[in-house]
Amino acid sequence: QYDNTVNKKYKNRDYDGALSTINEAIDIYPDSFFLYISRGDYFRLHSKKYIDAIVDYSKSIQLNSNYLQVFFNRALSKAALKDRIGAIDDYDHIIANQEDAINQNISMAVVLNNKAYCLVELQRYKEALPLVNKALSLDSEKNFIWDTRGELYYKTNNFKGCIADMSEANSLGVTSNSLYYLGLAKLKLGLKKTACEDLSEAGQMGTSEAYDVIKKSCQ
């Protein structure tokens, strides 16, 4: 009954009503780990209150640490706040319990990729590369995993590798980030015309930094 009520309110975009229902349920069942996950998901997905989400996910973990999806959700919230070290800790917990994670239908390819991307953002490229390679060996059909390695390749001056990976990423689903780094890598290799075309498309899709590069390099 509770799930149906919350899902119906989400479907009707009554997000305030959904939160109210969750809060009422927590008042009645304060030891339900699932309810704290539900409210954490609300904060993360609908109101972008990542700190509140982390607090609720942590409460859920205190009540039941066996449900590994909550570690994944908390890692996403930490990453959104640029707490990459904290996110890596949560991903490491999932990796350490890989068999349980797989049984709980958590994609280890995504976990490994997400940890790798945190390491890329921390400029720890040597640690990131084997993780993203492993992620691609597990699942080569997700564009964002190719995107992670493509960005890593760009930042380690492997521009041909970047172009190959970002092209593969875009073949699976075009994103502004893939186009942006594709354009940057092509510029490094003197492929100005197609580089500027990629950067223009990345800008159209919302990557404002692409226009800064265009002003400097595409005139």
Side-chain angles (χ1 to χ4, degrees), residues 18-201:
L19 178 60
S20 178
T21 300
I22 297 169
N23 286 336
E24 290 171 3
I26 287 175
D27 287 340
I28 299 171
Y29 305 105
D31 294 326
S32 169
F33 80 96
F34 172 78
L35 291 173
Y36 290 101
I37 296 174
S38 184
R39 192 169 67 181
D41 288 346
Y42 169 87
F43 287 135
R44 178 172 63 90
L45 297 171
H46 298 291
S47 64
K48 310 302 181 185
K49 293 181 178 179
Y50 298 111
I51 294 175
D52 290 339
I54 290 168
V55 170
D56 273 351
Y57 291 144
S58 299
K59 177 65 175 178
S60 175
I61 289 169
Q62 289 174 5
L63 294 167
N64 182 356
S65 62
N66 296 320
Y67 187 62
L68 295 175
Q69 182 67 44
V70 70
F71 287 91
F72 184 85
N73 293 353
R74 189 171 69 173
L76 294 177
S77 301
K78 290 177 178 178
L81 294 171
K82 307 301 182 185
D83 177 13
R84 300 173 184 107
I85 298 297
I88 287 170
D89 284 343
D90 282 339
Y91 291 132
D92 279 341
H93 181 79
I94 298 171
I95 293 167
N97 294 276
Q98 178 173 325
E99 185 174 341
D100 289 337
I102 293 171
N103 289 336
Q104 294 176 28
N105 295 317
I106 295 173
S107 168
M108 291 308 300
V110 175
V111 171
L112 292 168
N113 170 78
N114 288 10
K115 179 183 176 181
Y117 194 73
C118 287
L119 290 167
V120 169
E121 291 185 311
L122 291 168
Q123 299 181 19
R124 291 161 58 180
Y125 305 122
K126 289 184 179 179
E127 296 173 66
L129 184 56
L131 290 174
V132 71
N133 285 341
K134 178 63 175 177
L136 283 169
S137 74
L138 294 174
D139 189 344
S140 61
E141 297 300 314
K142 287 185 170 60
N143 63 338
F144 57 85
I145 303 179
W146 290 101
D147 183 281
T148 295
R149 195 173 70 175
E151 187 171 331
L152 185 159
Y153 279 155
Y154 179 82
K155 291 178 176 177
T156 54
N157 299 320
N158 181 353
F159 304 122
K160 289 183 178 179
C162 175
I163 290 170
D165 277 5
M166 291 312 194
S167 298
E168 183 66 29
N170 285 327
S171 74
L172 295 168
V174 178
T175 68
S176 60
N177 192 69
S178 295
L179 286 167
Y180 176 64
Y181 279 98
L182 184 61
L184 291 180
K186 286 180 178 179
L187 278 178
K188 292 290 187 180
L189 296 179
L191 306 172
K192 183 175 179 179
K193 183 179 184 299
T194 55
C196 294
E197 290 171 352
D198 291 332
L199 290 166
S200 179
E201 191 172 350

